[in-house]
Amino acid sequence: MRATDVLIDGLGRVSENVHAVLSGLEPEVLNRAPAPGANTIAWLVWHLTRVQDAQVADVAGADEVWVSAGWAERFDLPFSPADTGYGHSTDEVARVVVDDAGLLRDYYDATHAVSVDYIAALTDSDLDRIVDTNWDPPVTLGVRLVSVVDDDAQHVGQAAYLRGLFS
């Protein structure tokens, strides 16, 4: 098995969980916070997808699906198209309101497809390329992609917990 196969498998597991969380979800559950100031399923899935989209586009030298495929317009959120949700305040989290779980799923699927296509074209030696010198040690492409899988897994796990809590 190649290292890129492991990364693709990890993203595939995130995809399965995103689909499970969003399947048949009504807007009131999608946008419900378990407590004042807490994240919602809508924000969690939007954020994990935005982070994956932004991070993979950056290392691939490509445009983000969010902008290039018109998802920013479809969601019509009150943020800059560059916003990924990182560091969002309680008020900003509350402004991510999505009335259709299918919209979130479709944006995730588009991002997932681009991510998998990019990773599938890599060789294992490509993963050693330094992509960020702002850290010590500098971050390699492989480490950045593992970080994306890890961040996605944590956020979709939180979304799954909320779905169970509200069921």
Side-chain angles (χ1 to χ4, degrees):
M1 178 178 263
R2 297 174 42 225
T4 53
D5 295 334
V6 174
L7 291 166
I8 290 169
D9 183 72
L11 287 177
R13 292 167 192 239
V14 170
S15 179
E16 290 171 8
N17 288 316
V18 166
H19 279 249
V21 164
L22 296 176
S23 180
L25 206 60
E26 296 297 324
E28 57 272 4
V29 175
L30 191 62
N31 297 296
R32 182 177 171 193
N39 296 333
T40 65
I41 294 171
W43 185 87
L44 287 162
V45 174
W46 171 80
H47 170 65
L48 77 86
T49 308
R50 286 294 297 123
V51 168
Q52 180 178 329
D53 189 3
Q55 292 290 323
V56 172
D58 181 59
V59 296
D63 293 329
E64 294 177 23
V65 174
W66 180 248
V67 175
S68 67
W71 292 102
E73 288 84 16
R74 285 180 223 157
F75 276 78
D76 193 30
L77 296 175
F79 311 117
S80 157
D83 197 329
T84 64
Y86 182 76
H88 265 187
S89 69
T90 298
D91 291 338
E92 289 167 320
V93 168
R95 288 192 293 237
V96 176
V97 176
V98 181
D99 292 328
D100 179 7
L103 182 66
L104 277 167
R105 183 201 59 238
D106 292 347
Y107 171 49
Y108 179 81
D109 286 349
T111 298
H112 177 77
V114 167
S115 300
V116 168
D117 286 349
Y118 171 68
I119 295 169
L122 297 172
T123 65
D124 284 351
S125 62
D126 290 332
L127 299 176
D128 292 329
R129 177 172 58 95
I130 302 296
V131 296
D132 189 346
T133 58
N134 293 317
W135 299 92
D136 185 18
V139 177
T140 64
L141 176 58
V143 167
R144 178 60 45 86
L145 293 172
V146 167
S147 293
V148 169
V149 173
D150 177 56
D151 187 71
D152 281 0
Q154 289 186 53
H155 284 89
V156 77
Q158 292 170 24
Y161 173 77
L162 289 180
R163 181 176 175 127
L165 186 66
F166 298 147
S167 293

